[in-house]
């Protein structure tokens, strides 16, 4: 395998850019080929079958572009589709749930872990499953927060309405004594300052926020190193961004959160990859 | 044409059920065949090309089921796709924007009309276009309210957070002296009590809310009567409901708002209708 090949990263929309950002920061030689499925966003409320089909189409597109690895930068797709994808595709597939679960299990001191995510992620119980696999002694409490994604997309990042919504969602962890909270949706790190404040307010101090994106980037680095595929070229890589709808809106959002300048974003009709 | 054939109704999800409800109430003999595109909901943030493609696929599905007319029970699809659809299909197509615009133009006394809807609907300017066609003297002010759909889907129908969001969105009409407000998204009538209260609070009394669903049902009745296709059978019609994802969740929502018992909802893979 040529280590100069790009790393494929996908999400239902812009959320996965928080994972792309960590990869850019920790693996500065890697070229990223990102796909955001903006024509069918969000995945969080959709079924396992639908999310698996969409993930399969996108993976076929990424493979057609010659990626060396696929990073599923979406918790819902990680929770619902990755098991099936690993059976169907030969190349390595990295998800965000397993690294997130491992980090949470590592940081908890009292063994009580909270997970917030989309309906699909929470209903799947995949964080619980991975955390119990690490240690059956740990307690995991999940809470779906379906309004966080549209609030981020509305741009109400540090806002009184978002704060009130967060109070209500996070208030559900009261009395559960959680000391770590997994941001189990790639949009949520964009709200991390607000979530940190509200956690402090409703649950008190001492709760560690876990961003699976950081651990996912580390996981990717380890995998590429083991396979001898890490790109250590000093050249600044040219990342590419593809979406299924609204290329310009995506580009402007990407430029607001990535450390590089996103010059162009292309529309790709994903349904042809079946 | 056989007047016993069903009326096709579609929306991106559950919102169009508010239109189906008005049709059931005003045309009690008609059998409804409803399609909710729940695998690709919402349409409001998507492009004209994407919404047109999705609407085309669903219309082909409805035609394959033998409907006599298609009601586009989605403001975004009405605003973005209906012109193209009317060119491509032979059967009559009724949208919600034109009847809504006509009602608003009829109820305003001072000539100043507000329209709330999704990003796609507001950006399209279709309400403005239809209202100006009726009378160029009328003033139309649009405001996109992208959080209302997810708030309805979260079930926060009469809620302090939703009220605060409504205050912020509707506050944008301050000083514009609107005396009528079009609920330009089929989800919004589900929030009409809350919207009425907030309008009273932030804009004062005397603002009439316009629900395009009512006028759309009247429009359908007139069309079917003119074509001799109105079903006046005294039999209680058996409606059918199809979705692209999450049939059970849809059924439970439909049962909470429709006057009939929705026994079954079927999944149909819509992408095959291309």
């Amino acid at each position: 395998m040529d280590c100069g090949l790009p790393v494929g990263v996908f999400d239902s929309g812009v959320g996965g850019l928080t994972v792309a950002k960590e990869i850019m920061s920790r693996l500065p030689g890697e070229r990223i080929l990102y796909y955001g499925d903006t024509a069918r966003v969000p995945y969080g409320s959709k079924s396992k079958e639908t999310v698996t089909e969409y993930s399969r189409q996108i993976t076929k597109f990424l493979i057609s572009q010659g990626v060396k690895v696929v990073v599923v930068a979406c918790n819902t797709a990680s929770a619902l589709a990755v098991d099936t994808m690993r059976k169907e595709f030969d190349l390595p597939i990295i998800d965000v749930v397993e690294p997130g679960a491992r980090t949470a299990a590592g940081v908890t001191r009292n063994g009580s872990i909270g997970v917030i995510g989309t309906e699909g992620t929470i209903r799947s119980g995949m964080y619980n499953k991975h955390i119990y696999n690490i240690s059956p002694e740990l307690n995991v409490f999940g809470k779906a927060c379906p309004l966080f994604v549209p609030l981020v997309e509305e741009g109400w990042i540090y806002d009184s309405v978002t704060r009130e919504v967060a109070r209500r969602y996070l208030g559900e962890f009261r009395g559960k004594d959680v000391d770590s909270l997994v941001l189990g949706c790639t949009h949520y790190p964009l709200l991390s300052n607000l979530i940190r404040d509200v956690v402090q307010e409703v649950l008190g101090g001492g709760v560690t926020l876990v961003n699976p994106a950081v651990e996912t980037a580390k996981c990717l680095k380890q995998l590429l190193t083991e396979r001898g595929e890490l790109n250590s070229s000093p050249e600044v890589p040219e990342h590419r961004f593809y979406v299924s709808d609204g290329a310009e809106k995506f580009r402007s959002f990407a430029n607001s959160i990535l450390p590089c300048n996103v010059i162009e974003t292309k529309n790709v009709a994903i349904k042809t990859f079946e």
Side-chain angles (χ1 to χ4, degrees), chain A residues 28-205:
Chain A
E30 296 300 333
R31 191 152 58 91
I32 291 177
L33 201 159
Y34 186 97
Y35 194 90
D37 196 6
T38 45
R40 304 186 293 200
V41 68
Y43 284 1
S45 55
K46 286 155 196 169
S47 72
K48 181 180 172 77
E49 292 67 35
T50 295
V51 172
T52 302
E53 189 196 341
Y54 292 173
S55 302
R56 182 186 290 128
Q57 290 168 359
I58 296 168
T59 303
K60 284 185 184 172
F61 165 71
L62 292 172
I63 290 173
S64 79
Q65 300 298 302
V67 300
K68 59 186 170 189
V69 54
V70 169
V71 178
V72 184
C74 168
N75 281 268
T76 309
S78 293
L80 301 180
V82 155
D83 285 351
T84 307
M85 287 164 66
R86 291 209 173 107
K87 285 180 201 141
E88 295 181 4
F89 297 104
D90 282 338
L91 86 175
I93 295 174
I94 286 188
D95 71 291
V96 287
V97 169
E98 198 277 330
R102 209 171 46 234
T103 316
V107 302
T108 183
R109 297 168 306 278
N110 69 6
S112 192
I113 298 167
V115 179
I116 53 177
T118 66
E119 265 183 81
T121 299
I122 298 303
R123 207 174 41 224
S124 77
M126 285 303 276
Y127 272 103
N128 309 44
K129 192 182 145 192
H130 281 297
I131 293 171
Y132 293 148
N133 276 349
I134 297 166
S135 166
E137 306 296 304
L138 299 171
N139 288 312
V140 183
F141 303 96
K143 169 67 188 155
C145 305
L147 286 164
F148 279 167
V149 170
L151 283 162
V152 167
E153 286 180 3
E154 179 68 325
W156 294 9
I157 301 288
Y158 212 81
D159 184 283
S160 60
V161 164
T162 309
R163 183 175 292 268
E164 187 51 36
V165 171
R167 272 191 198 111
R168 202 173 300 179
Y169 285 148
L170 299 170
E172 303 249 339
F173 291 110
R174 271 197 204 98
K176 304 212 161 59
D177 201 24
V178 302
D179 71 352
S180 54
L181 181 69
V182 180
L183 305 178
C185 167
T186 50
H187 275 79
Y188 298 178
L190 299 166
L191 293 176
S192 59
N193 287 337
L194 182 141
I195 290 173
R196 189 172 292 113
D197 283 1
V198 173
V199 162
Q200 168 85 32
E201 181 190 323
V202 301
L203 305 177

